[in-house]
Amino acid sequence: GAVVSQHPSWVICKSGTSVKIECRSLDFQATTMFWYRQFPKQSLMLMATSNEGSKATYEQGVEKDKFLINHASLTLSTLTVTSAHPEDSSFYICSAGTSGRNAYEQYFGPGTRLTVT
Amino acid sequence: AQSVTQLDSHVSVSEGTPVLLRCNYSSSYSPSLFWYVQHPNKGLQLLLKYTSAATLVKGINGFEAEFKKSETSFHLTKPSAHMSDAAEYFCVVSGGGGFKTIFGAGTRLFVKA
């Protein structure tokens, strides 16, 4: 149980285009989802927290107009990187939590590797 | 406020020898503590978690960790390293009535044949 999927697992796009990444909780309903970014050989950095049906809360320094997050249902959150540039190339990982489970545990997706050329 | 410090950026051991990855934490609340492993270009896999039950926590793949409140530590150990254990390990703390989690900087484990 508690499986989180991400799609796509990797994507290459041209500079200036937008890319959408999906995060799904497959066997539970997630009231809260999180988006992380990980640069090579570094730890995970929380970008934003999203709750179903409300606006995402972004961490300081994260551009909300560039990284659009939508949490339209209890099983799906999407991250759209708008007007992507090479510096946006990174590993993006989502996670999901729910009040029905351990409140302090998140279930992580497998990650999406984004390369912007 | 919460923080987590992984004391070693990298650890190198020989196959068959013990593994010790060190983690200290700071928390104003009763924390939940986790260890995750990440293989190259992969997502995170939960090794084990502490959530105020037994202080010695056993996880998958022979790993275990001991919560020591007096030392604010949650070190990860394994009696005998295997080549497949080579990966990045993250110590994570959460708590305070929400899901927010703080990741350590990570420890890269190298296993020599």
Side-chain angles (χ1 to χ4, degrees):
Chain A
V3 178
V4 176
S5 69
Q6 281 184 242
H7 178 80
S9 56
W10 58 271
V11 58
I12 301 173
C13 70
K14 292 185 177 181
S15 186
T17 61
S18 295
V19 175
K20 180 184 286 188
I21 303 170
E22 293 186 348
C23 176
R24 294 182 184 271
S25 57
L26 298 184
D27 55 356
F28 67 100
Q29 294 184 324
T31 53
T32 305
M33 286 186 169
F34 305 84
W35 287 96
Y36 295 84
R37 183 173 182 176
Q38 185 181 30
F39 290 106
K41 301 185 186 303
Q42 294 189 25
S43 188
L44 278 70
M45 180 191 76
L46 180 65
M47 299 174 65
T49 302
S50 73
N51 292 292
E52 185 265 339
S54 63
K55 290 184 178 180
T57 301
Y58 290 81
E59 296 297 305
Q60 191 172 11
V62 178
E63 300 176 61
K64 61 180 182 181
D65 294 330
K66 180 168 188 61
F67 298 100
L68 301 179
I69 292 172
N70 183 277
H71 192 162
S73 77
L74 289 173
T75 59
L76 173 64
S77 176
T78 60
L79 168 68
T80 301
V81 183
T82 62
S83 186
H85 291 283
E87 57 266 30
D88 298 324
S89 298
S90 189
F91 195 51
Y92 292 88
I93 300 176
C94 74
S95 70
T98 175
S99 59
R101 295 178 182 269
N102 187 319
Y104 304 135
E105 183 172 353
Q106 299 175 32
Y107 302 92
F108 288 87
T112 296
R113 172 74 59 193
L114 170 64
T115 302
V116 184
T117 61
Chain B
Q2 297 179 99
S3 67
V4 59
T5 303
Q6 291 182 243
L7 299 171
D8 306 292
S9 59
H10 63 275
V11 170
S12 182
V13 301
S14 297
E15 190 174 24
T17 64
V19 175
L20 170 63
L21 304 183
R22 298 183 295 165
C23 173
N24 285 355
Y25 71 92
S26 172
S27 179
S28 303
Y29 316 98
S30 295
S32 293
L33 293 158
F34 310 83
W35 276 99
Y36 289 89
V37 62
Q38 185 180 35
H39 288 90
N41 296 311
K42 298 291 185 183
L44 300 175
Q45 181 182 19
L46 178 66
L47 285 176
L48 49 81
K49 62 182 178 181
Y50 166 79
T51 55
S52 75
T55 57
L56 181 61
V57 182
K58 294 187 183 298
I60 62 172
N61 300 336
F63 286 96
E64 63 180 40
E66 185 172 6
F67 173 72
K68 292 186 176 181
K69 185 176 181 179
S70 61
E71 299 177 10
T72 62
S73 68
F74 190 58
H75 301 336
L76 181 70
T77 60
K78 182 173 180 177
S80 177
H82 191 273
M83 294 297 289
S84 61
D85 294 327
E88 188 85 19
Y89 292 80
F90 293 101
C91 181
V92 178
V93 63
S94 71
F99 292 105
K100 190 145 186 185
T101 55
I102 306 297
F103 276 77
T107 298
R108 170 73 63 176
L109 176 64
F110 297 94
V111 182
K112 299 175 290 186

